């Protein structure tokens, strides 16, 4: 019989299907002898039914007439090996996935054949079998709708009493294999989105509703593991630390997006079940107790994971009641949640809280992080506050939309309660109003937090003042990175229009003092190592800052809170005395100066210009060396011809033992400048070919103390690699070697010639610096810059335009 299976026959004919079915019915026992035939028959039948569904309905009519699904079940009962159940699950999965006919799907789901396979006691110790089984369940769930789901459930009256597909799937919801968990989530979402009322009641009934609480408990365990990973990588950082953190945050956020997808299915009570579980299992006992300021004002970076998780929950799980409850809890001190709770600790383990934190409310703790915390804590706190302000679906309270009198804004800046409702009564659970006092009652009665809010009775104006004051003080901090100060500036700009009375003369004075301090520092950079790039960097950062300030939402993803330390350390070591270190300081200085300048303009009610207000390029000085050398605006390049009328003869060796007789020339052209080494043309005296070019700015000319005929010049890069994305990748690869400055040593025939070369270099540096200073003058005086006409706008191209004498 088995040999006849291989006889010549059209592979996709109805005769072949008849033959395979007939032979399968004759199988009474499965052994090593006939196992191969059974597996091949099952596989071929799946191919034939799929083919027939697309070309000839008689194939499936035969399948139904001969009750082949019943034969599949009979064969399954005969087997004692794993390979036949594997093929059977794959066969049915292929058929369910590929059948287009509704009639065919109805038949497949009827007669309890599918439910029998779903509940069959497979040996799931075999990982491959489990994988095929989960794929089988997923294929079935993909065909669910309001009509087909009724074929897979058992009912009593109008109520579903059994739904094997759902029950068996969620058994594996927390399997150690992530691919299994992902497939189970897809199955459950397919079930939830059917929209059948009786199925929804079954899902939210006891004990099936425990699945949602178990989801949150699993997420809590994942959060604890995540905290330990962070601590381990901080103690023992390695080359893969950052990628491990990114992978972990991806999984954290994937889980939360699943929560969001579940809620979006619109099943009654599911949002409430998830909200209650998140608050009771995660927020109250774990995250909020971690936000503490110790009696000695110690700011613990251990709060960073909690801040990150709060951001993710608020940003991804868009349950209005959840966001309101979290906002309401900000009025309580962390002590309210610590009596029987645990929190994250900086070493990655759980600690029993001992209530040693101060009596600050959590919103005051967040503000304390802003004014006194590290970069990580500042960014985390700003992210929480910003996400509360811009969450969608009714939670968005950005000032541009004039939705500022809302519950969440009240929680942050103390708006008077009861003026407007944040959510409509249609979407509000239990029909309760959204006043903050209602959520204080709810936190007490529903969640058992028997503790008075520490901010009770305090004027809303004080709340507003606290937030504005913290953000202004942050803008004046000198130990926080410019990127994070920009985030604080964005939040301040959102709140200022609606807190005018709380923004007082002291705040304005603080911003002015800080602005003047940075303006003075900017003047020093005019004669710094990167003075030739100062204006171009300033124009570039002005545009970026303006875009950031006018953005409708924060610029950063929540995981930036945790990746910040790795981002800071990933650029490689830059020697402190190098030009790259000076360039990094200049870049930070410019970014903060631009922020403070734009905030000043905003507080005065003025409109930000597209470009910073600076003077246009001036005329070149009389007898300037650039014109005398025959150079144009593009500057000298290796291999081009240059006039040597102002050049000084000298010797230089670019390679050991190969000294060259050359001419040295220092040239400035507006805000650009170069050091040029050229070789004289033998047939064209007083002209030469450029051999090497280096930036003039930052060359730091110095005559050797013991050899007054030697002139030393520092040679820095022509661009800043951490500003220029094209060069950044190469810079990170080269790291320390790339960040070390070069050096030229020029030997002259006598001391007088050496001194003249030195003076030429200093003079050209002064020309360059003076032009940079002249053009920046409007920005250095705030009142002047605001009143300047539009014709003084800078353009990126203007930086290199020259005017003839």
């Amino acid at each position: 019989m088995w040999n006849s299976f291989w006889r010549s026959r059209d592979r996709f004919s109805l005769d072949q299907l008849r033959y395979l079915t007939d032979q399968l019915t004759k199988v009474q026992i499965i052994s090593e002898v006939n196992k191969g035939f059974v597996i091949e028959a099952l596989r071929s039948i799946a191919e034939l039914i799929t083919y027939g569904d697309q070309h000839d309905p008689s194939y499936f009519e035969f399948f139904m007439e001969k009750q082949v699904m019943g034969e599949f079940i009979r064969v399954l009962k005969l087997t004692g090996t794993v390979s036949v159940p594997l093929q059977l699950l794959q066969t049915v999965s292929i058929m369910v996935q590929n059948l287009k006919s509704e009639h065919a799907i109805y038949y497949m789901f009827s007669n309890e054949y599918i439910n029998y396979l779903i509940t069959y006691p497979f040996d799931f110790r075999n990982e491959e079998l489990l994988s095929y089984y989960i794929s089988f369940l997923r294929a079935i769930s993909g065909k669910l709708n309001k009509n087909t789901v009724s074929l897979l459930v058992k009912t009593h009256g109008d109520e579903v009493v059994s739904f094997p597909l759902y029950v068996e799937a969620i058994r594996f919801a927390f399997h150690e294999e992530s691919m299994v968990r992902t497939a189970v989530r897809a199955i459950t979402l397919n079930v939830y989105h059917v929209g059948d009322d009786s199925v929804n009641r079954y899902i939210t009934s006891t004990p099936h509703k425990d699945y949602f609480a178990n989801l949150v408990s699993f997420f809590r365990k994942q959060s604890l593991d995540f905290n330990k990973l962070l601590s381990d990588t901080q103690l023992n950082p390695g080359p893969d630390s950052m990628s491990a953190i990114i992978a972990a945050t991806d999984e954290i956020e994937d889980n939360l997006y699943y929560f969001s997808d579940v809620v979006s299915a619109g099943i009654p009570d599911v949002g409430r079940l998830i909200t209650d579980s998140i608050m009771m299992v995660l927020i109250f006992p774990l995250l909020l107790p971690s936000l503490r300021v110790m009696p000695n004002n110690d700011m613990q970076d251990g709060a960073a994971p909690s801040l990150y998780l709060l951001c993710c929950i608020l940003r991804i799980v868009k349950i209005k009641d959840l966001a309101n409850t979290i906002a309401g809890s900000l009025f309580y001190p962390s002590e309210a949640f610590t009596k029987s709770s645990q929190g994250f600790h900086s070493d990655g383990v759980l600690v029993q809280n001992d209530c040693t934190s101060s009596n600050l409310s959590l919103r005051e703790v967040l503000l304390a992080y802003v004014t006194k915390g590290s970069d990580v804590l500042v960014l985390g706190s700003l992210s929480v506050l910003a996400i509360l302000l811009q969450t969608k679906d009714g939670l968005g309270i950005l000032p541009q939309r004039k939705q500022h009198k809302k519950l969440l804004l009240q929680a942050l800046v103390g708006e008077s309660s009861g003026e407007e409702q944040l959510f409509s009564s249609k979407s509000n659970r239990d029909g309760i109003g959204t006043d903050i006092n209602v959520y204080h009652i709810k936190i007490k009665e529903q969640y058992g937090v028997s503790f008075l809010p520490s901010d009770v009775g305090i004027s809303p104006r004080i709340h507003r003042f606290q937030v504005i004051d913290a953000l202004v003080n942050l803008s004046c901090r000198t130990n926080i990175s410019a990127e994070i100060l920009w985030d604080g500036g964005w939040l301040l700009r959102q709140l200022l229009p609606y807190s005018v009375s709380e923004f007082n003369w002291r705040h304005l004075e603080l911003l002015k003092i800080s602005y003047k301090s940075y303006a003075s520092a900017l003047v020093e950079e005019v004669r710094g190592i990167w003075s030739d790039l100062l204006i171009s960097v300033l124009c570039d950062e002005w545009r970026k800052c303006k875009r950031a300030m006018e953005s409708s939402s924060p610029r950063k993803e929540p995981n930036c809170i945790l990746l910040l330390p790795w981002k800071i350390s990933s650029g490689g070591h830059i020697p402190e005395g190098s030009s790259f270190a000076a360039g990094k300081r200049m870049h930070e200085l410019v970014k903060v100066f631009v922020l403070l300048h734009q905030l000043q303009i905003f507080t005065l009610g003025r409109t930000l210009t597209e470009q910073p207000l600076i003077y246009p390029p001036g005329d070149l000085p009389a007898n300037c060396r650039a014109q005398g050398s025959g150079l144009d605006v593009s500057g000298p390049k290796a291999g081009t011809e240059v006039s040597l009328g102002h050049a000084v003869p000298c010797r230089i060796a670019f390679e050991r033992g190969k000294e060259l007789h050359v001419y040295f020339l220092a040239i400035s052209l507006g805000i650009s400048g170069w050091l040029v080494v050229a070789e004289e043309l033998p047939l064209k005296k007083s002209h030469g070919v450029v051999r090497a070019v280096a930036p003039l700015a930052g060359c730091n000319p110095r005559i050797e103390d013991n050899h007054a005929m030697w002139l030393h010049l520092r040679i820095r890069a022509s661009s800043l690699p951490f500003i220029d994305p094209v060069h950044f990748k190469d810079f990170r690869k080269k790291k320390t070697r790339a960040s070390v400055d070069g050096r030229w040593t020029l030997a002259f025939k006598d001391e007088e010639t050496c001194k003249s070369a030195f003076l030429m270099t200093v003079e050209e540096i002064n020309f360059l610096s003076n032009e940079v200073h002249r053009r920046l003058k409007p920005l250095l005086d705030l009142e002047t810059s605001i009143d300047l006409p539009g014709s003084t706008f800078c353009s990126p191209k203007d930086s290199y335009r020259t005017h003839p004498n």
Side-chain angles (χ1 to χ4, degrees):
M1 179 182 75
W2 314 126
N3 291 333
S4 63
F5 174 73
W6 304 108
R7 69 187 179 186
S8 177
R9 190 181 293 105
D10 186 354
R11 180 182 174 190
F12 290 105
S13 66
L14 186 58
D15 285 343
Q16 178 72 356
L17 179 60
R18 288 194 185 99
Y19 174 76
L20 291 173
T21 303
D22 179 62
Q23 295 301 314
L24 201 61
T25 58
K26 296 177 181 179
V27 174
Q28 300 300 317
I29 188 172
I30 297 177
S31 64
E32 289 298 321
V33 176
N34 65 357
K35 180 177 68 174
F37 162 76
V38 173
I39 292 172
E40 183 60 26
L42 292 172
R43 187 193 64 78
S44 298
I45 288 173
E47 287 184 347
L48 286 163
I49 296 301
T50 302
Y51 173 83
D53 186 65
Q54 299 174 13
H55 298 87
D56 187 348
S58 62
Y59 282 62
F60 200 81
E61 290 173 3
F62 176 83
F63 184 85
M64 291 187 294
E65 177 187 344
K66 296 300 181 179
Q67 297 189 25
V68 179
M69 279 296 294
E71 282 300 310
F72 287 172
I73 300 299
R74 186 184 67 83
V75 167
L76 178 64
K77 294 176 181 179
L78 294 176
T79 185
T81 63
V82 171
S83 55
V84 172
L86 279 175
Q87 183 58 57
L88 178 59
L89 288 172
Q90 187 182 48
T91 292
V92 178
S93 297
I94 291 172
M95 291 172 61
V96 170
Q97 280 179 314
N98 292 283
L99 288 174
K100 306 299 182 184
S101 165
E102 290 187 8
H103 176 65
I105 291 296
Y106 290 161
Y107 174 80
M108 292 289 292
F109 285 8
S110 61
N111 301 318
E112 286 296 305
Y113 292 135
I114 293 294
N115 275 343
Y116 183 87
L117 288 176
I118 290 173
T119 57
Y120 187 81
F122 294 104
D123 184 4
F124 293 125
R125 291 174 298 181
N126 185 291
E127 294 182 2
E128 188 179 13
L129 183 60
L130 174 60
S131 176
Y132 276 67
Y133 177 76
I134 295 297
S135 296
F136 163 66
L137 298 185
R138 187 169 185 174
I140 296 169
S141 72
K143 297 293 184 178
L144 291 180
N145 55 45
K146 287 188 176 182
N147 295 321
T148 57
V149 74
S150 62
L151 302 173
L152 297 176
V153 300
K154 291 182 180 179
T155 60
H156 181 73
D158 292 332
E159 300 301 316
V160 173
V161 295
S162 174
F163 191 3
L165 173 65
Y166 181 74
V167 171
E168 294 301 318
I170 62 176
R171 281 179 54 202
F172 301 97
F174 312 111
H175 193 271
E176 61 184 10
E177 177 56 53
S178 63
M179 293 186 67
V180 172
R181 297 197 301 269
T182 300
V184 170
R185 290 174 185 177
I187 295 166
T188 57
L189 290 175
N190 286 336
V191 170
Y192 300 152
H193 284 281
V194 168
D196 184 274
D197 292 339
S198 60
V199 170
N200 290 346
R201 288 193 297 273
Y202 177 82
I203 288 167
T204 54
S205 66
T206 304
H208 312 296
K209 67 180 182 180
D210 292 344
Y211 170 65
F212 303 107
N214 293 337
L215 275 177
V216 179
S217 296
F218 178 79
F219 183 75
R220 182 183 189 274
K221 180 182 180 302
Q222 186 183 38
S223 300
L224 294 173
D225 294 341
F226 176 62
N227 184 58
K228 187 175 187 305
L229 169 67
L230 289 174
S231 298
D232 290 345
T233 53
Q234 287 170 0
L235 291 174
N236 301 296
D240 299 325
S241 294
M242 188 171 182
S243 59
I245 293 174
I246 291 174
T249 57
D250 287 345
E251 189 171 356
I252 288 277
E253 293 172 26
D254 283 347
N255 282 335
L256 290 174
Y257 277 114
Y258 174 62
F259 289 175
S260 179
D261 291 341
V262 170
V263 173
S264 70
I267 301 175
D269 290 335
V270 167
R272 175 183 60 80
L273 291 170
I274 290 179
T275 293
D276 290 346
S277 294
I278 288 177
M279 296 306 301
M280 294 300 291
V281 175
L282 191 65
I283 302 291
F284 286 157
L286 194 64
L287 302 189
L288 296 186
S290 301
L291 308 180
R292 294 176 292 165
V293 177
M294 303 305 287
N296 60 355
N297 283 330
D298 179 29
M299 300 290 169
Q300 302 184 16
D301 278 356
S306 293
L307 294 170
Y308 162 73
L309 289 168
L310 280 173
C311 285
C312 287
I313 291 169
L314 287 166
R315 181 174 177 267
I316 298 173
V317 186
K318 296 177 176 63
I319 303 176
K320 299 173 182 180
D321 208 34
L322 174 64
N324 279 343
T325 307
I326 293 175
S329 67
L330 296 179
F331 284 96
Y332 291 80
S334 60
E335 294 177 64
F337 311 104
T338 57
K339 290 188 176 180
S340 59
S341 66
Q342 297 173 312
F344 287 139
H345 193 263
S346 57
D347 61 3
V349 299
L350 277 176
V351 295
Q352 194 73 27
N353 283 301
D354 55 8
C355 302
T356 59
S357 61
S358 65
N359 201 38
L360 295 175
S361 69
L362 290 170
R363 62 183 299 281
E364 289 174 316
V365 170
L366 292 178
L367 297 180
Y369 288 164
V370 169
T371 56
K372 301 176 183 177
S374 65
D375 278 38
V376 171
L377 292 181
V378 172
L379 180 57
S381 300
L382 291 175
S383 299
V384 170
L385 299 177
I387 288 175
L388 280 172
L389 283 176
Q390 59 92 47
T391 308
K392 298 178 181 178
D393 297 333
L395 299 178
I397 50 176
L398 290 176
Q400 295 95 314
R401 300 176 184 175
K402 298 183 179 179
Q403 296 176 328
H404 59 286
K405 294 182 185 294
K406 304 289 188 177
L407 171 69
L408 297 184
L409 189 54
Q410 178 190 345
L412 297 178
V413 297
E415 284 291 343
S416 298
S417 61
E419 294 188 36
E420 290 185 64
Q421 288 190 346
L422 177 57
F423 310 122
S424 65
S425 59
K426 183 187 297 184
S427 62
N428 185 27
R429 180 176 127 201
D430 300 328
I432 302 176
T434 56
D435 185 271
I436 193 67
N437 294 324
V438 172
Y439 278 86
H440 289 161
I441 294 171
K442 176 183 175 180
I443 289 171
K444 176 182 178 181
E445 294 182 354
Q446 186 169 332
Y447 298 118
V449 179
S450 56
F451 208 99
L452 283 177
S454 59
D455 287 359
V456 67
I458 295 179
S459 167
R461 289 195 60 185
I462 294 178
H463 292 154
R464 288 195 293 270
F465 173 82
Q466 288 175 335
V467 175
I468 297 299
D469 190 64
L471 292 174
V472 170
N473 278 282
L474 171 63
S475 298
C476 300
R477 289 184 64 178
T478 58
N479 59 343
I480 298 296
S481 70
E483 279 286 313
I484 296 175
L485 293 181
W486 279 20
D487 295 328
W490 177 86
L491 189 55
L492 179 61
R493 190 179 188 277
Q494 307 306 309
L495 299 177
L496 266 181
Y498 306 97
S499 303
V500 175
S501 59
E502 285 68 47
F503 182 76
N504 56 33
W505 65 268
R506 175 182 168 275
H507 297 137
L508 193 58
E509 189 64 24
L510 281 174
L511 288 175
K512 283 185 177 180
I513 291 172
S514 186
Y515 170 80
K516 289 179 180 179
S517 174
Y518 276 91
S520 298
L522 194 67
V523 171
E524 294 180 12
E525 287 295 332
V526 164
R527 301 195 176 277
I529 297 175
W530 297 90
S531 57
D532 53 340
L533 294 186
L534 190 56
I535 288 180
S536 62
V537 169
L538 194 146
C539 289
D540 189 43
E541 295 304 325
W542 180 277
R543 293 190 298 271
K544 291 178 182 177
C545 188
K546 183 177 184 292
R547 285 198 301 268
M549 293 303 104
E550 295 177 349
S551 172
S552 61
S553 61
R555 301 173 301 145
K556 294 182 174 66
E557 295 292 317
N559 66 5
C560 288
I561 300 168
L562 304 173
L563 297 178
L564 183 62
W566 305 101
K567 181 180 178 182
I568 293 172
S569 62
S570 64
H573 173 68
I574 299 178
E576 182 58 31
S578 71
S579 62
F580 286 105
K584 199 166 187 177
R585 288 192 298 270
M586 181 271 284
H587 187 218
E588 282 283 298
L589 166 65
V590 168
K591 293 183 72 168
V592 179
F593 172 81
V594 166
L595 170 66
L596 292 171
H597 197 289
Q598 294 191 5
L599 284 177
Q600 290 275 1
I601 294 175
F602 184 71
T603 58
L604 295 174
R606 305 299 180 91
T607 302
L608 287 177
T609 57
E610 290 299 323
Q611 295 287 344
L613 295 169
I614 63 174
Y615 286 139
D619 294 337
L620 294 174
N623 301 318
C624 78
R625 293 184 178 89
Q627 286 186 329
S629 302
L631 296 175
D632 59 20
V633 66
S634 62
K637 295 180 178 62
T640 59
E641 186 175 318
V642 63
S643 173
L644 302 179
H646 296 282
V648 182
C650 62
R651 303 187 312 278
I652 190 171
F654 292 116
E655 299 177 49
R656 185 181 296 275
K658 293 184 179 181
E659 189 175 76
L660 300 174
H661 289 268
V662 295
Y663 283 80
F664 169 69
L665 185 64
I667 308 169
S668 66
L669 193 63
I671 60 172
S672 300
W674 304 273
L675 303 172
V676 178
V677 170
E679 291 183 291
E680 186 178 34
L681 290 170
L683 301 179
K684 194 175 182 180
K685 299 299 182 181
S686 75
H687 285 78
V689 175
V690 175
R691 176 68 184 266
V693 181
L696 172 67
C699 69
N700 190 26
R702 179 177 62 86
I703 296 176
E704 174 71 36
D705 292 337
N706 299 326
H707 297 83
M709 295 182 294
W710 289 3
L711 178 64
H712 296 292
L713 300 169
R714 174 170 53 192
I715 306 302
R716 44 144 262 233
S718 59
S719 64
L720 285 167
F722 36 83
I723 295 177
D724 185 351
V726 175
H727 295 91
F728 184 59
K729 186 181 294 186
D730 291 337
F731 173 74
R732 290 182 61 181
K733 289 179 180 178
K734 297 175 184 177
K735 290 190 176 180
T736 304
R737 187 181 64 179
S739 61
V740 175
D741 295 318
R743 187 182 67 176
W744 286 357
T745 299
L746 306 177
F748 297 89
K749 63 181 181 179
D750 52 42
E751 294 181 5
E752 184 178 351
T753 307
C754 183
K755 186 174 182 180
S756 68
F758 170 80
L759 293 175
M760 173 179 64
T761 306
V762 171
E763 184 179 35
E764 293 297 320
I765 290 173
N766 288 335
F767 285 152
L768 188 156
S769 299
N770 290 340
E771 174 64 4
V772 172
H773 192 199
R774 184 193 67 80
R775 294 189 63 185
L776 287 177
K777 275 185 179 179
L779 277 183
L780 303 176
D781 187 333
L782 185 65
E783 287 74 16
T784 302
S785 68
I786 290 176
D787 295 331
L788 279 173
S791 61
T792 56
F793 285 9
C794 113
S795 165
K797 294 182 180 179
D798 283 341
S799 300
Y800 303 100
R801 191 177 66 200
T802 62
H803 289 187
N805 189 7

